[in-house]
Amino acid sequence: MGEGIGAFMPFILMFVVVYFFMIAPQMKKAKKEKKFAAELKKGDRVITKSGLHGKILELNDKDSTCVIETLSGKLKFERSAISMEMSTKLNAPAK
Protein backbone atom coordinates (compact mmCIF):
# COMPACT_ATOMS: atom_id res chain seq x y z
CA MET A 1 0.00 0.00 0.00
CA GLY A 2 2.70 2.51 1.01
CA GLU A 3 4.60 1.64 -2.14
CA GLY A 4 1.75 2.93 -4.35
CA ILE A 5 1.66 6.37 -2.71
CA GLY A 6 5.46 6.61 -2.85
CA ALA A 7 5.38 6.05 -6.61
CA PHE A 8 3.07 9.05 -7.10
CA MET A 9 4.99 11.36 -4.74
CA PRO A 10 7.29 12.81 -7.49
CA PHE A 11 4.25 13.66 -9.64
CA ILE A 12 2.46 15.28 -6.72
CA LEU A 13 5.59 17.26 -5.86
CA MET A 14 5.97 18.39 -9.49
CA PHE A 15 2.35 19.56 -9.59
CA VAL A 16 2.82 21.57 -6.36
CA VAL A 17 5.97 23.23 -7.75
CA VAL A 18 4.28 24.05 -11.07
CA TYR A 19 1.25 25.46 -9.25
CA PHE A 20 3.24 27.79 -6.98
CA PHE A 21 5.69 28.98 -9.64
CA MET A 22 3.44 29.20 -12.70
CA ILE A 23 -0.29 28.91 -12.11
CA ALA A 24 -0.75 30.97 -8.92
CA PRO A 25 1.24 34.04 -10.15
CA GLN A 26 -0.63 33.97 -13.47
CA MET A 27 -4.00 33.91 -11.68
CA LYS A 28 -2.87 36.78 -9.42
CA LYS A 29 -1.80 38.85 -12.46
CA ALA A 30 -5.10 38.18 -14.27
CA LYS A 31 -7.07 39.26 -11.20
CA LYS A 32 -5.00 42.46 -10.94
CA GLU A 33 -5.53 43.27 -14.64
CA LYS A 34 -9.29 42.70 -14.33
CA LYS A 35 -9.41 45.08 -11.35
CA PHE A 36 -7.40 47.68 -13.31
CA ALA A 37 -9.79 47.48 -16.29
CA ALA A 38 -12.80 47.86 -13.98
CA GLU A 39 -11.31 50.94 -12.28
CA LEU A 40 -10.66 52.90 -15.48
CA LYS A 41 -12.36 56.28 -15.59
CA LYS A 42 -12.82 59.18 -18.00
CA GLY A 43 -9.75 61.36 -18.37
CA ASP A 44 -7.23 58.59 -17.58
CA ARG A 45 -4.17 58.61 -19.80
CA VAL A 46 -3.54 55.09 -21.06
CA ILE A 47 -1.37 53.06 -23.41
CA THR A 48 -2.83 50.13 -25.30
CA LYS A 49 -1.01 46.81 -25.63
CA SER A 50 -0.23 47.76 -29.23
CA GLY A 51 1.52 50.94 -28.04
CA LEU A 52 -1.14 53.58 -28.80
CA HIS A 53 -1.16 56.52 -26.36
CA GLY A 54 -4.37 58.36 -25.57
CA LYS A 55 -6.90 59.64 -23.07
CA ILE A 56 -10.17 57.89 -22.22
CA LEU A 57 -13.24 59.85 -23.38
CA GLU A 58 -16.03 57.31 -22.90
CA LEU A 59 -16.51 54.03 -21.07
CA ASN A 60 -19.23 51.57 -22.09
CA ASP A 61 -20.04 48.99 -19.41
CA LYS A 62 -22.50 47.14 -21.63
CA ASP A 63 -19.89 45.74 -24.03
CA SER A 64 -16.74 46.64 -21.97
CA THR A 65 -15.31 49.04 -24.52
CA CYS A 66 -13.85 52.51 -24.26
CA VAL A 67 -13.28 55.39 -26.64
CA ILE A 68 -9.74 56.76 -26.58
CA GLU A 69 -8.77 60.15 -27.93
CA THR A 70 -5.41 60.21 -29.69
CA LEU A 71 -3.62 62.85 -31.73
CA SER A 72 -5.15 61.38 -34.88
CA GLY A 73 -8.74 61.14 -33.61
CA LYS A 74 -11.04 58.96 -31.54
CA LEU A 75 -10.71 55.17 -31.49
CA LYS A 76 -12.83 52.48 -29.84
CA PHE A 77 -11.00 49.72 -27.96
CA GLU A 78 -11.82 46.80 -25.70
CA ARG A 79 -10.86 47.50 -22.09
CA SER A 80 -8.72 44.37 -22.14
CA ALA A 81 -6.55 45.98 -24.85
CA ILE A 82 -5.24 48.57 -22.39
CA SER A 83 -1.82 47.76 -20.94
CA MET A 84 -1.85 47.87 -17.16
CA GLU A 85 1.93 48.05 -16.74
CA MET A 86 2.51 50.84 -19.28
CA SER A 87 -0.49 52.90 -18.18
CA THR A 88 0.50 52.82 -14.49
CA LYS A 89 4.04 53.89 -15.44
CA LEU A 90 2.62 56.71 -17.55
CA ASN A 91 0.44 58.02 -14.71
CA ALA A 92 3.03 57.55 -11.96
CA PRO A 93 4.31 60.76 -10.36
CA ALA A 94 7.67 61.94 -11.65
CA LYS A 95 10.64 61.34 -9.37
Side-chain angles (χ1 to χ4, degrees):
M1 228 11 165
E3 204 172 281
I5 293 174
F8 288 112
M9 193 56 83
F11 294 111
I12 294 170
L13 188 61
M14 261 193 330
F15 177 75
V16 169
V17 169
V18 167
Y19 179 80
F20 282 109
F21 285 107
M22 295 177 73
I23 298 171
Q26 189 66 27
M27 289 182 354
K28 185 177 178 182
K29 183 179 178 183
K31 186 177 180 182
K32 198 173 176 183
E33 284 183 3
K34 189 174 182 180
K35 181 181 176 199
F36 169 78
E39 290 178 348
L40 287 173
K41 59 187 180 299
K42 290 181 182 179
D44 283 351
R45 295 181 336 156
V46 294
I47 302 174
T48 64
K49 290 181 180 177
S50 61
L52 187 82
H53 292 241
K55 185 169 79 171
I56 295 179
L57 289 181
E58 298 175 26
L59 292 168
N60 188 350
D61 291 330
K62 197 183 320 177
D63 59 356
S64 71
T65 60
C66 60
V67 176
I68 299 176
E69 180 181 31
T70 65
L71 292 176
S72 61
K74 298 176 185 176
L75 300 167
K76 188 174 187 176
F77 279 94
E78 293 289 325
R79 286 188 188 193
S80 61
I82 296 174
S83 171
M84 180 181 66
E85 291 87 11
M86 296 301 292
S87 296
T88 52
K89 287 179 186 176
L90 177 71
N91 292 316
K95 292 183 180 180

